[in-house]
Amino acid sequence: MTMNRRFLLKRRPEGTPVPEDFELVSEPIAEPGEGEIVVRNHYASLDPAQRGWMDDAPSYMPPIALGDPVRATTVGRVHTSNHPDFAVGDWVMGLNALEDYSLAAAGGFTSAIDVSQVESPTQFLSAMGAVGLTAYFGLLEVAKPKPGETLIVSGAAGAVGSVVGQIGKIKGCRTVGIAGGSEKCRKLTERYGYDVAIDYKGKTVDQLAQEIAQAAPQGVDMVFENVGGDVLDAELLNLAKHARIVLCGLISEYNSPEKHGARNLWRVLTQEATLHGYLISAYVDRFAEGGAQMAQWMAQGKLVMDEDVQEGLENAYAAFMRLFSGANTGKLILKIA
Ligand SMILES: NC(=O)c1ccc[n+]([C@@H]2O[C@H](COP(=O)([O-])OP(=O)(O)OC[C@H]3O[C@@H](n4cnc5c(N)ncnc54)[C@H](OP(=O)(O)O)[C@@H]3O)[C@@H](O)[C@H]2O)c1
């Protein structure tokens, strides 16, 4: 009998997750009930948000229950179907879990995808998926860039950040990217078109603030924040009047029980800036529109999105931790099938 390997959350991580927080088990594949399908997961998205779902803390989604597989967006093919709209073999994507086979209530978060239109089904987890569209809607709908404005992006070499910078250039902005290490900084300017790259590693808030001031002498009009901590503190010291801050993520805090917070918030006040908490879920109804524009920019050679595809459900822990060591080189994806 083919079994279903499942990557379970065994206990809640304290700080940085360790292998013992998880367990890989094998169970029989579920049978779909009325209106349900079983999806053979081919690829799973590995996202910083999953770290938050492992905590038992109030959030925009319920915590992953202990003993459940780690929740993840996946793309795969229908394995068995008890739903008239889904046939065996159809490609689908949905909010499932890190496991070989997921039981899904079709219609819920599961939808059919047309993989004939893309180079690889993984693009539904990167450029055409929620992550690429996080960059798209966060910049265009929240920050609302105008030509000639200066945009600063933290986590700029990552999945969201690399796309934010490129869309910023498409919209005629001056772009400053912050990332960790010389290799990533080289990529920022050479591949993602950033005007200036700043390496944050080993620098104090004051040093970083000075480098940002050199890159943006008039201040930054938009901050696209993915990281938080010292990086955010340095950016806040460089806000232009009426700057817009898109608070997209705070990855530097996700493994820290002690939250750093924003220590230069007074600059939001003095610069009459706007700090906007942003979740991509607010734009789900517009994914088709955003996806079409992303596809067009990619076809025109105006936008690239790199993918970092790691192999094997048995490597889920090591793959996931790449997000926190900075080892990932693009949208982190786990190949399961
Ligand atoms: N609001 C939303 O709806 C939404 C949706 C998707 C993602 N997000 C957020 O967007 C951010 C980026 O997500 P992503 O999927 O694109 O991941 P990613 O940027 O591809 O990968 C994470 C990167 O974060 C950096 N990082 C990790 N730990 C760090 C630390 N302690 N200090 C500074 N930088 C650190 C690393 O880059 P370096 O090597 O440069 O340090 C790492 O490569 C995350 O904060 C995520 O939660 C929000």
Side-chain angles (χ1 to χ4, degrees), residues 256-337:
S256 313
E258 298 290 317
K259 301 304 177 202
H260 177 102
R263 293 183 176 160
N264 290 323
L265 213 48
W266 58 278
R267 293 294 288 166
V268 174
L269 187 158
T270 60
Q271 298 306 91
E272 299 177 272
T274 306
L275 177 61
H276 189 122
Y278 162 63
L279 285 176
I280 183 57
S281 47
Y283 294 91
V284 168
D285 292 350
R286 294 179 59 190
F287 271 22
E289 166 202 335
Q293 178 61 84
M294 295 283 285
Q296 189 185 42
W297 282 333
M298 287 194 296
Q300 294 169 337
K302 292 181 177 168
L303 185 84
V304 292
M305 185 156 186
D306 291 317
E307 295 178 354
D308 180 338
V309 181
Q310 299 293 307
E311 298 243 351
L313 193 57
E314 64 282 5
N315 296 320
Y317 169 77
F320 179 60
M321 293 310 290
R322 289 170 72 81
L323 290 169
F324 302 99
S325 65
N328 66 305
T329 53
K331 173 67 197 100
L332 188 60
I333 291 168
L334 188 65
K335 185 172 187 211
I336 293 177

Side-chain angles (χ1 to χ4, degrees), residues 48 134 158-160 180 184 200 226-227 248-249 252 254 278 280 323 326 328:
T134 294
V160 174
K184 284 195 179 180
Y200 73 87
N226 290 315
V227 165
C248 177
S252 69
Y254 294 173
Y278 162 63
I280 183 57
L323 290 169
N328 66 305

